[in-house]
């Protein structure tokens, strides 16, 4: 890991904590960004297949959001208003109701939490525990839900959990995600058997917290059948179903929610990342009305309801979710992506395609190879990262709005990087 | 609690969670803000003595920050860049080093956490546990540190803790803050005696987490002597000293940090609220270099390092902390505030002035009276809130930059509100 | 549940806690016992197929132990000596070494814990956590390990866990026992897959705590293959293997330990129940020498090392484990038991034989039926109880020394009780 | 620490766990005991001022208990009967009701727990949590309540807590015992202030668990005033008062219970140690009837209700508690003890007398000196041990029945040991 500047003069080496990470993979200084292109201080352009880990589903600095935000700031619109009523908040809520909730028949209420995904997850599990009077929460292998203690307890990743510094991460029971025990093992049967056994030692659950595509956990994608089965088990056992749609929501899998067309309606949904549309910190929990038993301020926070984010989020909803155009574009690009990833996967012995919609990648078998592929891509002007328990998946998280030409260009770079590093298909060796 | 609109047509009643709170005290819709003035949809102006709970120490929409932010957005500056290097981040870090750290001889590193105070607190205690290999953290009566499980365990407030839904908030030992046992009781002696007793049953502590003025806990202000004593006890027992300066920092008590001139250098400092200067979500932890043992990404998060906040924060540092002008203004206004609060307190039997610098208030003896005073103020065009275990403190958190004229105008409203509700001094009844 | 006496005059109703249980199933007053026969105050004899839940493997008041104990008491032998050296303790240790440890090549040390099984389990997991520096302990579905908080966390039974009064039972991960997911599901594959996945969210384990036959959990008996596989997984993952042999040990399954001839050597073994041979409170942990890192008194207790129990335990070891006679008797009786239970099971649709050696029973499909069978047996002079998550197993725990004639007599009573309650086989109904 | 035998041939070194402790202080082998005299294998007699840590309040092998026990065993009385009704159990309960409960107007029910003190404590806190629906339990500095996880969380001693192997000992709040903050500090004021503050961060308590004389914690004795104040605070805050009378009960402080004549009636009382009278494992919890909400078997255990202990306990109650003779003897000996300890304390600079009744000792200022005094005593034929956070108290726990002559003889040995080791008073040095 080298940086462009020498350590002596480097403000980062001198003053930023060792916890910094992405800057180690992409050791340049970025100065501007537009659409799917990032530009560094030396004027070099990079295609962005990382999208702020799915925070920039509509690309960088979307001109309409940008204009609305500048207009808001220019006219001294509220920048920070705690959770007071503002015109911007009302407009966002009405737009969210109109374009997202009402078309789906969802009665959910919106809880503005602190503007981080982990805060939304913490709020959701606190509420589920209050609603059910139970403390145990079920989460899944390879799940990723945040870094604060309550959410970290739900997170599977060993390295992240080690960050807790030895504190026990309690009141969570881990269950196997679809496919976690091998492709042919029915993990729902396991879950159901364990929960049905009164002597299993597993406490009754307040909630199941699940991602329908595991963004950090290796792009494992649950089937509709599995999700429905899980929802039924949760219901049968009096547990709430909480879908963590922080990374997979806002269009990433093809529709606004990852659970659209899956035949389930979650009791709660956590949203963050691309919710503002512009990359601004913003998070919320959607709550079925009967579960909205919060007392005022029982979960609070200084930045809940980021007004700048309301402004951009409203534009995003109206620009992208008022009709089917974006959905159709995603569908088309998803198909291209799948086809190209198949070709890429075939270059690598044993590689597997993972994910769903525009949240896909290739499990190349080792974190070491995946890391080298990403580094090679960066050299060639493509920003792309890994995912998975061993960082073994090269993950494509391009903005959903990437022009087709540029999208293919990025995939070409990826393809060539794989070709360069894995010169001949191992599978077809003989 | 009534709102201006009827529930039928009210988007908030229809779609926002019951957890919303400030909008219940101030049931109007705000549409713009400038300096220390908020304006509602009907064009009515309000003087802001709440400042987003000390998030707007430099007032609303400071013109210089505003200009810099619009310029940044206009030129497609990075809006979201995870924790990659950007020109905005480097500029912020250099400015922070130059204006804040270096003048104080502080070697601390800056850890960009998720942009909420609670996330900074969680990061700090995780790191303290890693550094010391101990799990117990000491926090204080009436302390407030956030709503996520790790930080909530440190928070004293019963109602907030109840939000955890029955989960035990563990690995924290509560100690009495200065004055918590009565004005003449030496709480340091208690703390020291308990920690020195090997059979006290109190586990060795990873850290002491303390606010030097307790913003939510009733504006209890620690003396320099107490803080120095506490720092010494922490040191003697191998515990790190973490100052939570989220609410009291960024000038609120008269200098940039609440611990300036207190004779201590914390091992870690948590900052948020006014750090961006503009009300944008932003938080960080300052860490002495020898404790910065994080592995890359061991504590991560989507919005760590909010680039828009870097832009405004840099302006704030250069505009307000390059010289002594703001400090002098705060000193002057603090004096005015103290004098006026004394007069106000004298109107109320048994009332006491609390706090330090521009973080002061009056303990009026009951939450009921404090609530009525704030409601009366709102009717008269002043936004002001309560604090304390029983909401018994009327808290003045005016922007530090409030023009003196407007500042006095706000204090006049408060004075008249008290006068109206407490017609004659109870103490001087006979 | 009625008792023989009216509540008015009943010292139990008046003064004993509602927690009492067995006296509700067997509402008579017992006054003496000899061998496998209990006698009540009215002179009625009962065959004992409960044996104090396997505490009386050698029957009641064995004449040789009785004589030794009376001799010890008569000569003012030590009754209570904390953990000081006594002639009785040395004699027990030498006998245990000679008859139990040395023949098996076991190097284990003996830790005298408080004289309850749960105390031995607590000591074992404390030590495993000290040895490994890990806190997570793996236990199994339907496992039963005791009622104190550490052991209760390992116990699966829902009703018992509810006794904790809402305290979270932490630092334990539950795994499926052999057969817990259905007869054809390989639970070792599940365990291994979960432990091998670094993002499974399961913390590295200090120990696996397992019963080879689950006495309270329904007489589930693990196969040698499963036990060996489990031992290998534990070893591969740096976890200690702790066999809880409190109920299954001391000959119950055919040999002294339940793991004899299973091809494994546990890192620790917990023993209690029949260890004294006479029904006296006594428990210990066997510890491989390299794990015996206790500091003196780090786990202590008033009654550790019950001297009266040393006296009887020594006689039991020399009388029953110096040669193969008892083992051969158990083998013979086990065969009879199995044959008779098959006949009994055939009377009941869907019934299954459970267990191993002299620790066997019939799963009759429901706790209701099992309870009625036991009640009917008691009416006919046989004391027998149920086991299992739903109390659905009629469990035969006769003293290993029961004369064959009396053993068959007891089985006849059981057979007739089933016959009376289940007049015709349901399976062969059409 | 040397032992009489060489390690090579020593069964203890070869086969007993390193956790053994008292045998290290008294490295001889005891073979018989009668009254207050222990005899070793070489025929040497020792006066016992340890009494099995107050387990042998009536001395060793009391002839009446011995006779009753031999008679019981001889006639094949029940040795082990789980919690079934037996003549021995009924007789004990009736005797306990007659001689202990009824004279005090106590309506309490008796819960037979596993026969260790720690098990009784675990049962009591489980029940208090069930009764109140709260999880937090308040215990005190220097409190000692047992080694299983629930009881260990209540125990203050650092070394014992370390035995938990890094598991957090949760759901307990530590409060200062009377005198823990210095003789002139009112700890009740502290407790009350903390509990009255809704933002103290201390969860509402299920129970206060307290010893009236802290046996292991240094013989700190609470005053009646403090105990009454504590009981009132518990009541005011809806917490149950649980007196742990395991070491201080059964006459040790002068009356049967340590709380007799203190003006309080605990909600629960835990008893063990001298309850059997003979040193046999036996423990119980006394529960006010309205709190006895256990379901049958919700807390169970193999050895609850040790029948041999019922036999001896009944004799003990009838022999020693049917009239005032023992009480009068204790009073007399307590006076002698106090006088002699004063003389001894005066030999040592800064020494203080601790404790109450026949549970007294001298704080000699350091564990090192206390240890040397005890070792010197042992050399001279007196068995005596230390207590306290630093083992700084030489503790006299003679059998209550020790003949006056022998009692004085023991005190003479102690006096001479102190004289030998501390030749001249340090206080009067100049």
């Amino acid at each position: 890991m080298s940086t462009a500047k020498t350590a002596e003069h480097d403000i980062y080496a001198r003053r930023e904590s060792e916890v910094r990470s992405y800057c180690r993979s992409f050791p340049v200084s970025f100065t501007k960004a537009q659409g799917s292109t990032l530009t560094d201080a030396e004027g070099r352009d990079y295609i962005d297949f990382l999208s702020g880990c799915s925070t920039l589903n509509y690309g960088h600095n979307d001109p309409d959001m940008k204009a609305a935000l500048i207009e808001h700031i220019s006219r001294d619109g509220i920048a920070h208003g705690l959770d007071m009523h503002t015109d911007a908040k009302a407009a966002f809520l009405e737009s969210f109701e109109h374009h997202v909730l009402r078309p789906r028949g969802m009665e959910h209420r919106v809880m503005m939490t602190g503007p981080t995904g982990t805060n939304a997850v913490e709020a959701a599990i606190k509420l589920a525990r209050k609603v059910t009077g139970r403390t145990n929460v079920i989460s899944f292998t390879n799940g990723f839900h945040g870094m604060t203690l309550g959410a970290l307890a739900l997170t599977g990743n060993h390295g992240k959990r080690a960050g807790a510094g030895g504190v026990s991460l309690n009141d969570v029971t881990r269950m196997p995600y679809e496919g976690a025990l091998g492709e042919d093992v029915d993990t729902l049967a396991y879950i159901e058997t364990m929960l049905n056994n009164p002597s299993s030692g597993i406490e009754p659950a307040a909630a199941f917290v699940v991602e329908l595509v595991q963004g950090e956990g290796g792009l494992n994608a649950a089937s509709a059948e599995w999700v429905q089965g899980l929802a039924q088990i949760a219901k049968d056992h009096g547990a709430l179903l909480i879908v963590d749609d922080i990374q997979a929501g806002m269009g990433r899998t093809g529709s606004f929610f990852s659970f659209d067309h899956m035949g389930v309606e979650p009791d709660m949904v956590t949203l963050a990342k691309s919710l503002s549309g512009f990359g601004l910190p913003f998070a919320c929990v959607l709550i079925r009305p009967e579960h909205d038993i919060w007392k005022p301020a029982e979960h609070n926070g200084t930045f809940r309801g980021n007004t700048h984010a309301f402004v951009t989020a409203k534009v995003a909803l109206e620009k992208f979710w008022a009709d089917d155009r974006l959905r159709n574009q995603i569908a088309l690009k998803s198909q291209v992506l799948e086809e190209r990833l198949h070709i890429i996967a075939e270059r690598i012995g044993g590689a597997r395609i993972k994910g769903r919609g525009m949240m896909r990648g290739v499990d190349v078998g080792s974190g070491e190879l995946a890391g080298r592929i990403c580094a090679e891509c960066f050299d060639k002007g493509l920003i792309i990262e890994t995912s998975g328990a061993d960082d073994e998946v090269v993950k494509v998280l391009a903005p959903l709005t990437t022009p087709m030409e540029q999208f293919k260009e990025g995939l070409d770079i990826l393809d060539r990087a794989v070709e360069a590093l894995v010169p001949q298909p191992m599978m077809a060796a003989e």
Side-chain angles (χ1 to χ4, degrees), chain A:
Chain A
M1 267 171 251
S2 68
T3 58
K5 305 177 183 181
T6 61
E8 186 79 28
H9 300 125
D10 188 340
I11 183 68
Y12 300 108
R14 204 163 68 234
R15 287 297 185 181
E16 193 173 10
S17 164
E18 291 298 324
V19 80
R20 65 193 188 279
S21 58
Y22 286 105
C23 57
R24 300 174 190 266
S25 301
F26 313 114
V28 298
S29 181
F30 295 100
T31 54
K32 53 178 250 182
Q34 178 44 242
S36 301
T37 305
L38 276 159
T39 306
D40 74 13
E42 322 214 327
R44 192 178 176 208
D45 286 344
Y46 300 82
I47 298 174
D48 187 358
F49 270 23
L50 177 52
S51 299
C53 294
S54 203
T55 302
L56 294 157
N57 282 358
Y58 317 113
H60 294 267
N61 286 307
D62 173 87
D64 297 305
M65 298 184 211
K66 178 173 148 178
L69 181 57
I70 289 175
E71 191 276 336
H72 179 87
I73 299 170
S74 301
R75 68 161 180 82
D76 283 337
I78 305 295
H80 182 273
L82 294 164
D83 69 350
M84 296 193 282
H85 294 166
T86 62
D87 51 348
K89 187 183 195 176
F92 164 74
L93 280 172
E94 276 159 4
S95 186
F96 194 77
E97 179 183 51
H98 186 70
H99 294 299
V100 176
L101 298 176
R102 200 174 291 155
R104 289 166 175 82
M106 289 171 70
E107 301 286 335
H108 293 65
R109 303 283 175 83
V110 182
M111 174 187 182
M112 310 294 182
T113 64
T116 61
T118 195
N119 201 294
V121 170
E122 295 258 351
I125 60 175
K126 282 164 75 170
L127 184 56
R129 283 165 173 157
K130 280 176 63 78
V131 166
T132 59
R134 303 171 175 181
T135 56
N136 186 31
V137 171
I138 287 174
S139 71
F140 293 85
T141 49
N142 293 46
F144 186 98
H145 303 283
M147 292 292 104
T148 49
L149 278 194
L152 186 56
L154 301 173
T155 294
N157 186 283
H158 180 63
K160 302 292 187 243
R161 294 169 68 87
V167 166
S168 287
L169 298 166
N170 293 320
D171 299 306
V172 169
T173 299
R174 191 74 38 181
M175 290 290 179
Y177 196 77
E178 188 178 14
L181 304 176
E183 288 196 14
D184 50 347
V185 178
D186 177 5
T187 60
L188 291 182
Y190 173 79
I191 297 167
E192 194 156 26
T193 302
M194 292 296 271
L195 295 186
N196 282 342
N197 177 355
S199 284
S200 70
I202 295 173
E203 296 293 321
F208 288 23
V209 181
V210 67
E211 302 155 283
L212 300 204
V213 184
Q214 297 187 313
E216 298 303 305
L219 297 181
N220 308 303
S223 67
E225 190 184 8
W226 190 82
V227 174
Q228 286 164 29
L230 192 74
Q232 188 61 48
I233 295 172
K235 194 175 170 192
D236 292 346
H237 289 85
L240 304 192
L241 179 67
I242 301 175
V243 171
D244 181 341
D245 230 13
I246 290 170
Q247 183 161 157
M250 283 65 72
R252 179 53 61 187
T253 66
S255 184
F256 190 83
F257 293 120
S258 70
F259 55 83
D260 286 336
H261 319 302
M262 294 298 249
V264 300
E265 193 190 76
D267 291 288
M268 294 191 221
V269 182
T270 54
L271 299 176
K273 291 196 181 269
S274 278
L275 182 60
S276 82
F278 202 73
L280 305 179
F282 187 22
C284 73
V285 185
L286 309 182
I287 305 166
R288 284 196 53 79
E290 65 268 30
H291 302 319
D292 184 28
I293 62 167
W294 287 115
K295 292 183 193 161
E298 204 172 12
H299 180 94
N300 64 6
T302 295
F303 297 114
R304 67 192 185 282
N306 177 357
T307 315
H308 284 188
F310 290 147
V311 171
T312 55
K314 174 178 175 285
V315 174
L317 292 171
E318 291 172 355
K319 180 171 181 177
F320 295 112
W321 299 104
D323 58 36
D324 283 343
R325 281 179 301 162
L326 180 64
R327 259 183 290 261
N328 292 340
Q329 281 183 42
I330 302 170
L332 189 62
K333 261 174 271 185
S334 295
Q335 209 177 327
V336 170
L337 178 57
E338 187 173 3
E339 285 162 13
R340 294 295 301 268
L341 292 183
H342 268 296
I343 294 168
I344 290 166
E346 276 171 17
R347 295 190 187 284
I348 309 162
R352 285 187 309 146
I353 297 201
K354 307 287 297 284
R356 182 153 69 90
M358 288 283 280
M359 191 171 187
R360 305 197 87 137
V362 182
D363 176 345
V364 302
S366 83
E368 189 276 332
L369 176 57
R372 283 196 293 131
I373 291 169
C374 292
E376 175 73 14
C377 286
F378 182 66
D379 271 359
K380 299 288 176 283
L382 177 69
I383 290 173
I384 189 167
E385 260 291 359
T386 62
S387 166
D390 296 310
D391 300 320
E392 75 282 8
V393 177
V394 176
K395 178 168 71 166
V396 178
L397 285 180
L400 307 177
T401 54
T402 309
M404 186 62 87
E405 220 39 30
Q406 192 181 16
F407 186 53
K408 288 181 177 169
E409 197 183 326
L411 290 169
D412 289 344
I413 295 174
L414 174 59
D415 192 14
R416 285 196 301 271
V418 170
E419 199 178 22
L421 293 166
V422 190
Q424 50 188 36
M426 296 173 192
M427 292 297 279
E430 72 275 47

